[in-house]
């Protein structure tokens, strides 16, 4: 059964870069039927999609975060990563990694839904 | 991109049915049949309950159903049970090649 596990620092200083990794176990990271994504949830607030990446390296990012986000994927290590630059207190949140199922030649644009989630990791931005 | 609009809260008694609405625009909910719904219990990760507007993943109770009309999608839970008490989020694919979530709806089972 596919499992996802987030890891990374729980505390990041303002203006620095937040870096998280998600390890994929129990399944392939190289399938053409899935993207891999990050979603965050500030304390007491709703979910926000950050972005998604395909095993080929193709990415889609939330337009509101695009200038600060970089995602990468390492098929040999079965993991994908998130970097968010110039963080502020507003970036304090639980960060989830998730598998995004899709289908077809234009995968991300066809039937995208987040079917497997990690447990989440809390990141606090504070000096 | 703006979040989809959901009611902040809904409630119902055990055995009753409730419906949660999710209103978007002609660039997201209205344009694609790619609406999904997620259930989140406190302190837990979200769980996929409905995708492609009305499809249930394997293992999800058939008490959960989804529909869409125009720019508004809906999640209906019939035969409410205590374990259904949770936060529910809708999500849609958008014409900007992105995903957008709703603000979330807290379901209280009275």
């Amino acid at each position: 059964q596919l499992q996802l596990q987030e890891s990374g620092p729980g505390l990041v200083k303002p203006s620095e870069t937040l870096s998280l990794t998600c390890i994929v176990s129990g399944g392939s990271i190289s399938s053409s039927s899935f993207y891999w994504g990050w979603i965050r949830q500030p304390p007491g607030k709703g979910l926000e999609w950050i972005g998604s990446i395909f095993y080929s390296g193709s990415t889609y990012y939330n337009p509101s975060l695009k200038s600060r986000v970089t995602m990468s994927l390492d098929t040999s290590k079965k993991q994908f990563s998130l970097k968010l630059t110039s963080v502020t207190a507003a970036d304090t949140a639980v960060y989830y990694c998730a598998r995004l199922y899709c289908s077809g030649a234009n995968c991300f644009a066809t039937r995208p839904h987040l079917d497997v989630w990690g447990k989440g990791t809390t990141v606090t931005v504070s000096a | 991109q703006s979040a989809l609009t959901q009611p902040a809260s809904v409630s119902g008694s055990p055995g009753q049915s409730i419906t949660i609405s999710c209103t978007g625009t002609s660039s997201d909910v209205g344009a694609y049949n790619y609406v999904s719904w997620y259930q989140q219990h406190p302190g837990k990760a979200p769980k996929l309950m409905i995708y492609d507007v009305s499809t249930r993943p394997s293992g999800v109770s058939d008490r959960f159903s989804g529909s869409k009309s125009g720019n508004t999608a809906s999640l209906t839970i019939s035969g409410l049970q205590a374990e259904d008490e949770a936060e529910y989020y809708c999500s849609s694919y958008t014409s900007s090649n992105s995903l957008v979530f709703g603000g979330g709806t807290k379901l209280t089972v009275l």
Side-chain angles (χ1 to χ4, degrees), chain B residues 32-69:
Chain B
Y32 308 95
N33 288 324
Y34 300 147
V35 175
S36 46
W37 290 90
Y38 302 88
Q39 176 192 65
Q40 185 180 36
H41 287 109
K44 300 295 187 181
K47 174 187 176 183
L48 178 68
M49 304 301 286
I50 295 284
Y51 64 95
D52 294 352
V53 174
S54 60
T55 303
R56 280 187 311 276
S58 173
V60 172
S61 171
D62 60 4
R63 298 186 298 105
F64 292 81
S65 62
S67 62
K68 191 187 88 166
S69 178

Side-chain angles (χ1 to χ4, degrees), chain A residues 7 9 12 16-22 38 40 50-51 53 61 65-73 79-87 91 95:
Chain A
S7 64
V12 181
E16 295 190 344
T17 297
L18 179 159
S19 297
L20 296 174
T21 296
C22 181
W38 292 95
R40 69 181 183 178
I50 300 171
I53 186 167
Y61 297 142
L65 297 170
K66 188 174 183 177
S67 64
R68 298 195 292 132
V69 172
T70 302
M71 294 178 62
S72 59
L73 187 148
Q79 65 185 40
F80 58 101
S81 300
L82 167 71
K83 290 189 186 298
L84 182 65
T85 61
S86 304
V87 297
D91 295 309
Y95 284 75

Side-chain angles (χ1 to χ4, degrees), chain B residues 9-107:
Chain B
S9 63
V10 298
S11 63
S13 299
Q16 288 186 332
S17 295
I18 63 94
T19 296
I20 300 171
S21 62
C22 169
T23 302
T25 70
S26 57
S27 296
D28 40 61
V29 175
Y32 308 95
N33 288 324
Y34 300 147
V35 175
S36 46
W37 290 90
Y38 302 88
Q39 176 192 65
Q40 185 180 36
H41 287 109
K44 300 295 187 181
K47 174 187 176 183
L48 178 68
M49 304 301 286
I50 295 284
Y51 64 95
D52 294 352
V53 174
S54 60
T55 303
R56 280 187 311 276
S58 173
V60 172
S61 171
D62 60 4
R63 298 186 298 105
F64 292 81
S65 62
S67 62
K68 191 187 88 166
S69 178
N71 294 339
T72 298
S74 298
L75 172 71
T76 297
I77 309 174
S78 60
L80 268 181
Q81 299 179 0
E83 68 223 43
D84 299 332
E85 184 163 296
E87 193 87 18
Y88 290 85
Y89 294 91
C90 62
S91 176
S92 175
Y93 175 75
T94 86
S95 60
S96 301
N97 278 326
S98 64
L99 296 180
V100 64
F101 283 97
T105 298
K106 180 174 174 56
L107 168 62

Side-chain angles (χ1 to χ4, degrees), chain A residues 20-107:
Chain A
L20 296 174
T21 296
C22 181
I23 296 175
V24 178
S25 60
S28 173
I29 197 172
S30 303
S31 170
S32 60
S33 295
F34 306 114
Y35 269 70
W36 304 91
W38 292 95
I39 302 93
R40 69 181 183 178
Q41 185 170 35
K45 296 187 178 181
L47 301 170
E48 180 181 34
W49 175 73
I50 300 171
S52 295
I53 186 167
F54 201 49
Y55 75 95
S56 65
S58 171
T59 55
Y60 292 97
Y61 297 142
N62 185 321
S64 66
L65 297 170
K66 188 174 183 177
S67 64
R68 298 195 292 132
V69 172
T70 302
M71 294 178 62
S72 59
L73 187 148
D74 188 328
T75 56
S76 64
K77 294 183 178 179
K78 293 184 68 176
Q79 65 185 40
F80 58 101
S81 300
L82 167 71
K83 290 189 186 298
L84 182 65
T85 61
S86 304
V87 297
T88 69
D91 295 309
T92 293
V94 175
Y95 284 75
Y96 295 99
C97 61
R99 186 178 77 174
L100 184 143
Y101 176 91
C102 51
S103 65
N106 189 9
C107 191

